[in-house]
Every structure is written in C-alpha cells, then in structure tokens.
Amino acid sequence: MRKLITPEMAMTFIKSGSRIMVGGFGLVGCPLTLVRALSETGIGDLEIISNNLGEPGKGLGVLVREKKVKKGIGSYFTSNPDVTAAYQAGELEIELLPQGTLSEAIRAGGAGIAAFYTPVGAGTKIAAGREERTFADKRHVLQEALKADAAFIKASHCDELGNLVYSKSARNFNPIMATAADLVIAEVDELVEAGEIPPEDIVTPHLFVDYIVLKGERGK
Amino acid sequence: MRKLITPEMAMTFIKSGSRIMVGGFGLVGCPLTLVRALSETGIGDLEIISNNLGEPGKGLGVLVREKKVKKGIGSYFTSNPDVTAAYQAGELEIELLPQGTLSEAIRAGGAGIAAFYTPVGAGTKIAAGREERTFADKRHVLQEALKADAAFIKASHCDELGNLVYSKSARNFNPIMATAADLVIAEVDELVEAGEIPPEDIVTPHLFVDYIVLKGERGK
Amino acid sequence: MSVKKIIAQKAAGYLNDGDVVNLGIGIPTLVADYLPEGVQVFLHTENGILGVGPTPEAGMEDQDLVNAGKLPVTVIKGASYFDSAASFAMIRGGHIDVSILGVLEVDQLGRVANWAVPGKSVLGVGGAMDLLEGSKKVIVTTMHTTKKGEPKIVRELNYPITSQRRVDLIITEKAVFETDERGLLLVSSSENVTMEELRKNTGADFRVKEGKEYEGKEPGAGAD
Amino acid sequence: MSVKKIIAQKAAGYLNDGDVVNLGIGIPTLVADYLPEGVQVFLHTENGILGVGPTPEAGMEDQDLVNAGKLPVTVIKGASYFDSAASFAMIRGGHIDVSILGVLEVDQLGRVANWAVPGKSVLGVGGAMDLLEGSKKVIVTTMHTTKKGEPKIVRELNYPITSQRRVDLIITEKAVFETDERGLLLVSSSENVTMEELRKNTGADFRVKEGKEYEGKEPGAGAD
C-alpha cells in the first residue's frame, strides 16, 4: 500500500510551529498512536485544533504537559486541569468556539468556503468584538474557515487507496478534519483491499488522505 | 410504518405558490412518482429548486409544460428546450447559480447557516450586482442559504423509522434537500425493518424525514 | 423519589411520541427513565448519534460508543452515526425537537446562563450555545434554588448568558414556568408549595398563566 | 488518429500517477483512453462519484450510475459515492488535482469562457465555474480555431468569462501553452506547424517559454 508509512516517518512531515488538527471527542476517535509519535519528537510550539486537549497525561494531554502546545483552538478544554493551569500561567493561548461553530469552520476550510454567518453565540461573551450581521431579523456572527498544515485523524479501517470508514461515535471530528489540512495522516485499526468497502459506505474518499499509519505500530 | 403515505395523500400537504426542492441530477435520483402525483393535481404557481427542470415532458419537464412552474432555481436548465422557450416567453423566471453554490446554499439552509462566502462566480456575469468581499486576497461572493416549504427526495431504501440510503450516483442533491425544507417527503424503492441498515451506513437519519411514499405507487 | 427524579419525571411529561430529544448532563439525563407509556423518543447526542439507548451493563462498554458527557452508551435499532459538522447542522438547523438542559441561572425573560462562571477562566462551552440557539423547544430542568438557598431564577443573570434565545419551559421541583415575550408565566406549582413561598424563592417577577390553576397541579403529558 | 484524439493524447501526457482528475464533456472525455503506461488516475465526476470507470457495454447500463454529462458509466474498485454538496466541497476546497475542460475561448491572460453565449438566454452553468475556481491545475483542451477558422485563443473574450482564474495549460492540435501572470507561454508546437502559422491562428500575443524548443516537439509524460 503506497500510502502506508510508520508513525515515525509521518512525523518527518511535521515542523515546530505547525498548526495541526487532531480528531476525537476526548479520547474517543483520537489518533493516539500519531499523538504519541509526535510527543516522542522534539517538535513543539504547536497550534492544535481539536475539540479538547485530551486528559491529564493522556492523548493530547501529553503534549500539553510537555509544553509543546502554544495555542489550542477548540470548544471544551475544561475537562483537562493541565490546560487550565497552563492557560492561567500564560503558557498556553486558547481560542474557544461553540462546538458547532468549530466543526462548521473546519468543514468550511475543507470546502473552500471562506467564512459563514451563524446565529450561535450572537449576543454572548464568546462573540464579543466579532463582526455581526442580521439575517431574517436574527443576529448572526461571522466565522472564518479553519485550515491547518496537517490533520491527524483516526478511522476504523481503510482500503489500499486510502478510503476510510469510522467506528460508531469515534467518527466525530475525523471526517471533516480529513478535508481541511494540507497534509492528512490517518491512523487506522485495519487495512482491507480496494473494493472491500462498498462505494456507498465510504465516509472519507481517498482523495483526502495522504498517508496511513497503523494503530499501535511503532519503531519500524 | 407510521410515515408511509400514498403519493396522493402527500400532495394534500402542498399548496399552490409553494417553494419545493426536488432531488435528482436530470432524471437520475429524481422522485418521479411524487413529481407525477404533483402534476396530477391542480397545484401550480410553484417555485422549484432543482439542478435541472427535467427533460421535455419528463420528470419536472411535465410541470414546465403544464405551466405550473413560476420560477426555477438551479444550475443547468439548458438541456430542456421547453424551459428556454418558457423563459423567453416571459412565463418562467430563472435564478441560475453555479452548481456548487446551489448545493452549498441548500446545505446551509438545512444547517442553520444564514449565508456564506464562496470564491466561485466572483468577477463573472453570474455574480453581477452581488455583494463581494475579499478573503486572503481573493474575491468572494456572498450567497444566502436556500430553504423550501417542501422537499421531494428519492432514496433507494428506507427503514420503518425513515432512515434513508441512496443508490450510487442517484444520491446527488437528495441528502442535502432532505435537510432544508419544512416538510420532507421521500420516495423509496423499498422498505426494510429498523436495524436492517447498519448505523454507520445511514446517509439521511430519520429526523429529517416526515413522510415516505413508495415508488410507482398510485391511487390508493 | 429524589427531588431530581421528580423534576425529570415532570419534564418527561412534556415529551411527545416521536420527538427527537437532546438531553444535557445531570437532571436531563434522568428524563429518559420516566417516559410516559406509549411515548417513544429518539435521543440525539451532539458527538454524533441519533438513537442513544440505555447505559450498558458493567463490562459491556464499547470504547467507541459514548454520549456528549463522554459516558458509555448503547444504541437502539435504527440508530445512526454522523460527524460533528452534520450533528451540529441538525442542531443549528432546527431538526432537534426538544433539548432539555441544566442551568446555572435563568433570567426573567427566560434566558439562560449555563456555560461560564465569572472570574474563572472560560475554557469550555461545548454544544451549549448551539443547543439553545437551534432546538425547536428548550426545556430547562433545575433545582429551584442553589444549595445555599439562593434563587436560580433571577431578574438579571449574574453569570454570562449562553444565548439571547428564551427557553420554552422551566421545570423545578416547586413549579413550572412557560415564557412569552414579556417574561415568565407560572403554569403550575407543586402541591405543597404556596404562592408566597414561590415568590420568595424566585428572584424574578412572574405572571400566572391565564386559565391555569397555579397550585398543587401538574400538567399532563403533552399538555403544552 | 483524429485531431481531437491527438489533443486528448497530449493532455494525457500531463497527468501523473495517482492524480484525481475531473474530465469535461467533449475532448476531455477522450483523455481517459490515452493514459501513459504506469499512470493510474482517479476520475471524479461532479454529480458525486470518485473512481469512474469505462463506459458500460450496451445493455449493461445502470440507470443510477451516470457522469456529469448524464452518460452511463461504470466504477472501478475503491470508488465512492457522495452527495452534491460534498462533491463540490471537494472541487471548491482544492481536492481535485487536475480538471480538463473544453472552452469557447481563452484570453491572453489564460482566462476562459465556456458557459454562456452572448445574446442568448443564459440558462446553464453547471459545475464549470466551480471546477475552474477550485481545481489545483486546469488544463484546457481545444481545437486551435473554430470551424470557421477563427482563433479560439483571443486577446479579449467575446463570450462571458467563466472565472478570473487563469488556466495552467492550453493544449490544441497545433501547440501547447503554459500561462504566467503576464500571459501565454508557448511550450511546444506540433511538428508540421510553423511559427508564422501559429501567430496567424492565435488571436493573442504569446511569448516562447525560455529554454524550450518551440517547434516539432511534444512534452513528455509528467513534463510539467
């Protein structure tokens, strides 16, 4: 399979200072092998777009502890006290978005839409200072699209072309992040042959996927 | 199945002057039973959102011939000479959008996004008079979301709750139109029991679907 | 029955058969246990499931199957999975019939604060704003007062507002309020609660809904 | 070999193994038949397929399986289907490597007219604007002149412009042009075509690309 590489090789494409999207809702659907491989490099100064920044010492939480994250863009960081501590210490910048605005901005980034108007957040502190506009007598907030240098995503299985399907609620942010980065690396549980996934069931067509890494693999 | 009704019953929910989205790319994936049922009523003065307006005397082309369409919103009407003739006779209003802008506007309508900026069409005749804005040094056009009073869509099969899957390229506009209308009526080839479609494979979850009609059924 | 369960049971009475319902954390989660007979609802969770089922038995958890509170769940027949953008398109696009939410406070126009605490770092919002903005109907379930005995229904919010949208119903162990453009309308109060007690424990003005008895009476299922 | 097939074959030489390619109607459709050995491309069609295969044999057509020209197609192993919004998200979002398009005209900045005719009712655009705007690379395949012998590469467009984006390559039976911010660059001309003939049949100015021979030479596969 031409797209299959090791986690270590995948990290050679990532530079310090990069902006990386990481799939998952908490640890569910998070590409833990890729995140661990990243934490084992000296790469830092990262901007991470992810709903959460993991749990203390788990998933993206490892990168937070190692002070490799410069900025987090997401919707719910409260569940990791390390994030709160780093934020209060001025070591971590946070951009907080409503979860639907976050996911829509990522989709827009992948879909070539520069910006959109959402009613969510209008008239609240989260939208303070943001551009507003009224449509159908309702206040809306302008949100620009989000893109990234790389996306780390987690799928359940993958065929040899790079077509992906996801397991249950581990789908979450993964399919949209797969569309919105210059370089997309998918961590998968299992590889199958082309044609084994029915064409109607493919969630992420292979044109979005640059490289594949097997879950749990290391050190080749 | 509580959502299952006859095509005739479905038409009792439609009024003259309504705006209706109709799925399909040409005749592929077009809900022909619903369109025929509509043409057999006296309902007219319709605004139709559909990529095309059928072929001469086929699909939506029947409604055009019967002068029941007041306005068409779509991307490619050239393939039906009846549309051109009606337009030139001043009997039919046309709103033409690039196909990607059309589909994105429908998705936005279903997703609670009021408007978005797309680069497509900027600096061309199709965007004449439209609001423009520059993002990342690139001209973009503002497009507002499209919604409708009703959507007629075509799926391949449906479970008893109203979950839908589509056949091959007959999917096209159907899943997005299923999200963007006050009343959604799906025409399907086949009914199955709840649980027969794997949860990962459902394309249109049942919360979008109000009524189901069987393809080819009439006069019950 | 605990007070929280009583509130959940009251809220369950407002759900209609076939409703697509999103349940918040806390009291709202309990609502699923008190559905009236003949009422089947479909539970939506914003991380991407329609058709959430009961909590799995210990040892039967699936690590890929959680709700928005990151707790293990099961799914019912006819459930479906979708990505986060699709899930919030459902919410923001008005496809969720009812959201049931917990709150920090509600103001006298029926607007809610439930995402941030003043003076503390605001580092989490999740789907709270989307659900309030987009759901066809929003029901608040809450204790009438805080642990310290202070009203949770207040004239002006002390906490940051979650949305300018007013909720449709506020259900506490003491009373049920509807809202209109002018403010709160008392629909019913619990049997042992006097009007005086209610006024005292409610930090906001409210009117009594016309044609409604306001003491010792609960609305029936689907009474709204 | 017909002139159209010659143009298609030239265009095929510019495709790289693994490219995701969208082919327009006419000459572009023929390109699939002339892929160099060892080059597999994945054909995208904007009505919602990645992995379009050859035309089915007569009688084997599937009514649910057509391309953007509404012609019956097949799919290869590993193909996928998606809805129109997803399909145009791929196009507009920059996920299509190459689009090969027919045109009415190209101007001397490499901008294209291929959707409308002046004086006639403009009732169709389809995906033309999206493909021009969003594809990573756009190749125009066209006869060098119209049936009446008039240049299709012109100083200023007579037809309405499709996009402000300039295409990357213009391939005719007589020549191949690249573009840069200043205009057209002749990369190669066909063996039997003199520079004089080329200037005469081209309505726009062009420069000869530095370091390129400009007569009797074709670029190799993947030469761009």
Side-chain angles (χ1 to χ4, degrees), chain D residues 48-102:
Chain D
I49 311 173
L50 177 64
V52 176
T55 304
E57 287 174 45
M60 299 296 287
E61 298 89 353
D62 180 329
Q63 62 173 6
D64 287 341
L65 197 45
V66 298
N67 64 15
K70 297 188 185 110
L71 297 172
V73 292
T74 58
V75 292
I76 63 169
K77 270 189 188 180
S80 52
Y81 304 115
F82 29 84
D83 69 48
S84 302
S87 186
F88 281 90
M90 291 175 192
I91 294 170
R92 202 178 38 232
H95 306 287
I96 306 298
D97 295 310
V98 186
S99 278
I100 306 183
L101 307 170

Side-chain angles (χ1 to χ4, degrees), chain A residues 75 77 99 123 138 167 169 172, chain C residues 62 64 84 123 125-126 133 164:
Chain A
S75 93
F77 299 113
Q99 198 172 329
K138 207 170 173 181
S167 168
S169 68
N172 57 62
Chain C
D62 181 328
D64 288 340
S84 301
L123 298 181
V125 58
E133 187 64 49
Q164 294 293 335

Side-chain angles (χ1 to χ4, degrees), chain B residues 73-90:
Chain B
I73 301 171
S75 93
Y76 201 79
F77 299 113
T78 323
S79 48
N80 185 350
D82 288 352
V83 172
T84 315
Y87 175 78
Q88 284 166 343

Side-chain angles (χ1 to χ4, degrees), chain B residues 3-26:
Chain B
K3 291 182 177 177
L4 184 67
I5 58 173
T6 64
E8 290 68 29
M9 201 181 301
M11 294 312 129
T12 64
F13 302 117
I14 310 297
K15 292 193 186 83
S16 282
S18 290
R19 176 186 263 207
I20 308 178
M21 291 184 179
V22 182
F25 182 77

Side-chain angles (χ1 to χ4, degrees), chain A residues 25 28 52 75 77-78 88 96-100 103-104 118-120 123-125 138 167-170 172-173, chain C residues 62-68 70 81-85 88 92 121-127 129-130 133 161-162 164:
Chain A
F25 181 76
V28 178
N52 331 81
S75 93
F77 299 113
T78 323
Q88 284 166 342
L96 195 68
L97 294 170
Q99 198 172 329
S103 52
E104 189 69 12
T118 172
V120 176
T124 75
K125 196 175 157 184
K138 207 170 173 181
S167 168
K168 305 186 177 79
S169 68
N172 57 62
F173 285 87
Chain C
D62 181 328
Q63 61 172 5
D64 288 340
L65 197 45
V66 299
N67 64 15
K70 300 191 184 105
Y81 304 115
F82 28 84
D83 70 48
S84 301
F88 281 89
R92 202 180 36 232
S121 310
V122 178
L123 298 181
V125 58
M129 291 183 175
D130 300 272
E133 187 64 49
I161 199 166
T162 308
Q164 294 293 335

Side-chain angles (χ1 to χ4, degrees), chain B residues 75 77 99 123 138 167 169 172, chain D residues 62 64 84 123 125-126 133 164:
Chain B
S75 93
F77 299 113
Q99 198 171 329
K138 207 170 172 181
S167 168
S169 68
N172 56 61
Chain D
D62 180 329
D64 287 341
S84 302
L123 297 180
V125 58
E133 187 64 47
Q164 294 292 336

